[in-house]
Structure formats: structure tokens, C-alpha cells
Amino acid sequence: MLEQFSEAWGKMISKLGGWLDQLVVMLPNLLIAAVVMTVSVFLARYVSKYTSKLTIKFTKNKTISSVLSNVATAIFVLITLFLVLSILNLDKALTSLLAGAGVVGLAVGLALQEPLVNLFSGVMMSVRSLFNVDDLIETNGYFGKIKKIDLRSTLIELPTGELVTIPNKQVLQSPLKNYTASGKRKVVLECGVSYGDNLERVERIALDAISEAIDNPKEEIDFYYTSFGDSSINFMIRFWRENCQQPNILASKSKAIIALKKAFDRNDISIPFPIRTLDFGIKGGERLDEVMIEYQPANSVQASKN
């Protein structure tokens, strides 16, 4: 028993001696790895700051800038870790770590596929500056003002007050109409006048009324006759407004309608509405007295004949 214990003790001492020899041999590598780790800790801060300054040139979204900065710092730290393991001759551990990271990354990517797509879509939208908060847009069948843009979705406030959350993936992959991007919007007003009115006079009166109501030169107002309607000759008036928000557009259109109606009333220009004409035997219709006879009681008809 004592001999077995002595033999085991000797093996342990021999093993520890071998580890000590390896430690002495690896001491330069350990010092270099420690220096690399220390330097990387300080450099990581500069990487984060530099990435933030660089991304701010492409996007004003602070959330996007922060995320990109954190991602760049994480990649830098990961590269440093691989370098340190290589310095310590831990190639097998490095290979196992890479294989494990690949498997874990694949599993996480499959599990979080939709959120990741929305995340990268949010980054792409921010970098490309497709739109900003308070812009008036129309996308995915919704029309409203942008209230918030984050890394997952875009929040839109409809004119009726409801809030709609649309995933960034759908916003990026769908057609988008931005009413604010150009800095102005065109107001379109459609109306009609009777066939008996003088069309040149109607155009002149309409342009004068709209120009005075919205304070725009007549040269900047478009007037076009568009079609022959059932009861009117239809026309279209178009003019630009600098304030692109929906309340201003609606208010401008309302002022134009009031001004146009007043001007037409003053000048005896009629805005027709659908009229139904009853033909009582004049041109191909049934005579009124014959229709009345059909609906009278039999005794009344006999009395009228007598």
C-alpha cells in the first residue's frame, strides 16, 4: 500500500514538473498574450468612438450608430481573442471554438431569422435615408406620418389617429411614397360647370378666385378641362403648397373650394348636379293620362266614360 502511494506521488510530482517546464517555455508567449489583451482593451474604446463618428456621417439615427459601434467593438474583441489563443499555441481550442461558434451562430440565425432581417432592414433604411421622423408617407396600404423608427419596425400615425406598426422588412421591400421629401405637395381640385357656360370665362374666373384665396400667382396654377360628363364639363385645378403636412393641404383645398363656389355664384356660373328627366309622351314616352288611367279603380274609369 505504501509502495503504491509512493509511486502515485512520484507520478504526480513528475507531471507537475512537466507542467512547470511547459510554463517556463510558454512564459514569453504568456507575456505577449497579456500585452496583446491589455492593448486591445484600450484600443476597443477607440474603435467604438471611431465607429460612432464614422456612422454618424451616414445616418443621424443614434440607435443605429450605437448598434454599429457595438458590433464593430465585438468583432475587434473576437479577433483579439483568436490572436491570443494562437499566441498561446492553443490551436485545437481555437478550432473547437470556431466550430462551436459556427454551430451556435447557425442555430441562432435560424431561430432569429425574422428579427435579424428586420434589424438589418432598419440599418439599411437609416443608412440610405429613405425617410425621417415626421415625414408623410404611404406604404403597405397605409398613409400617415412617421412617429418612430427603431431597429425592428416603423411606427406610423394615420390621419384618423390610429398607430400602425410595420416591420422594417416590409417597409424596405415595398413601394414607398414620400410626400415630404420634395418639400412641397400639389393640391388637386376637381369640379364641373354646365354646358351652357362660356369655358374661357369660367377658366379666367376660376384662376382669379384660386389665386386670391391661396395667395399664389395665376401662372403657378394649372387649369385643365378633363372630360364631358353626364351633366357637366369637368375641369381640374392644381397648385403647389410648401407645407406638406396633411392639415395644411386639406385647409388649402377647403379655401379653394369656398373661393371657387363664391366666384361662380357672383358670376352666375352653375355647378350642375345629376338631373333625372321624366318623358311623358313628348318623345317616345307614355302619355301621362294613359298612365293615370291604368292606376285608377275600375268604377272610376267607368264613371269618367259616362
Side-chain angles (χ1 to χ4, degrees):
M1 182 67 181
L2 184 59
E3 292 179 358
Q4 293 177 351
F5 179 77
S6 298
E7 184 179 356
W9 179 262
K11 290 180 179 181
M12 185 183 71
I13 295 297
S14 177
K15 189 70 173 179
L16 290 175
W19 286 356
L20 183 60
D21 293 339
Q22 292 181 4
L23 180 62
V24 173
V25 173
M26 288 290 298
L27 187 59
N29 292 5
L30 289 173
L31 293 176
I32 295 174
V35 171
V36 171
M37 286 295 295
T38 303
V39 173
S40 66
V41 170
F42 289 99
L43 289 179
R45 300 177 182 178
Y46 290 99
V47 170
S48 178
K49 292 181 180 179
Y50 180 77
T51 306
S52 297
K53 292 181 180 179
L54 184 63
T55 55
I56 206 68
K57 296 179 181 179
F58 299 96
T59 175
K60 297 180 180 180
N61 193 317
K62 295 183 178 179
T63 304
I64 300 294
S65 178
S66 176
V67 169
L68 293 178
S69 176
N70 293 335
V71 170
T73 304
I75 293 175
F76 176 78
V77 172
L78 190 61
I79 293 174
T80 302
L81 178 61
F82 290 158
L83 179 61
V84 169
L85 291 176
S86 178
I87 292 173
L88 296 176
N89 296 325
L90 297 176
D91 298 335
K92 293 183 179 180
L94 179 60
T95 303
S96 301
L97 183 62
L98 288 174
V103 174
V104 172
L106 179 61
V108 172
L110 292 175
L112 302 178
Q113 182 178 5
E114 194 69 21
L116 288 176
V117 170
N118 288 325
L119 171 64
F120 286 109
S121 298
V123 173
M124 288 296 298
M125 288 191 306
S126 179
V127 172
R128 292 171 58 186
S129 299
L130 297 176
F131 47 77
N132 299 305
V133 175
D134 290 334
D135 279 2
L136 193 65
I137 68 168
E138 182 177 354
T139 180
N140 289 274
Y142 295 101
F143 169 80
K145 182 191 295 186
I146 299 176
K147 301 299 293 183
K148 182 181 179 183
I149 305 173
D150 55 31
L151 294 178
R152 188 185 67 85
S153 60
T154 300
L155 185 66
I156 299 178
E157 182 182 19
L158 304 183
T160 49
E162 295 91 342
L163 296 176
V164 179
T165 301
I166 305 177
N168 288 333
K169 173 186 174 182
Q170 297 182 16
V171 176
L172 187 63
Q173 295 180 350
S174 301
L176 185 144
K177 186 185 296 184
N178 193 329
Y179 293 90
T180 315
S182 63
K184 58 182 181 178
R185 285 181 64 186
K186 181 168 285 188
V187 181
V188 179
L189 175 63
E190 296 180 353
C191 188
V193 293
S194 69
Y195 279 85
D197 288 312
N198 184 290
L199 299 186
E200 288 82 2
R201 180 169 175 265
V202 169
E203 179 179 354
R204 185 175 60 255
I205 293 173
L207 289 174
D208 290 340
I210 300 299
S211 176
E212 183 178 352
I214 64 174
D215 194 23
N216 267 22
K218 288 190 295 184
E219 293 76 12
E220 298 180 0
I221 303 174
D222 299 327
F223 183 100
Y224 303 103
Y225 286 105
T226 57
S227 63
F228 291 97
D230 294 334
S231 57
S232 64
I233 297 179
N234 302 318
F235 64 87
M236 174 192 301
I237 295 179
R238 303 187 305 181
F239 54 89
W240 291 99
R241 293 280 80 185
E242 297 296 333
N243 189 338
C244 301
Q245 297 303 325
Q246 189 68 3
N248 180 69
I249 299 300
L250 294 177
S252 298
K253 191 171 185 178
S254 178
K255 289 181 180 179
I257 291 174
I258 294 174
L260 195 63
K261 178 64 167 58
K262 288 183 177 180
F264 283 179
D265 289 344
R266 287 195 304 267
N267 293 275
D268 295 326
I269 298 175
S270 61
I271 302 176
F273 50 87
I275 300 174
R276 184 183 297 270
T277 302
L278 301 178
D279 183 3
F280 294 110
I282 300 175
K283 291 185 179 180
E286 296 186 40
R287 293 181 58 81
L288 180 59
D289 53 356
E290 295 178 357
V291 175
M292 294 294 294
I293 291 174
E294 292 181 4
Y295 288 93
Q296 286 181 356
N299 55 355
S300 300
V301 176
Q302 186 67 28
S304 62
K305 290 182 179 179
N306 294 331

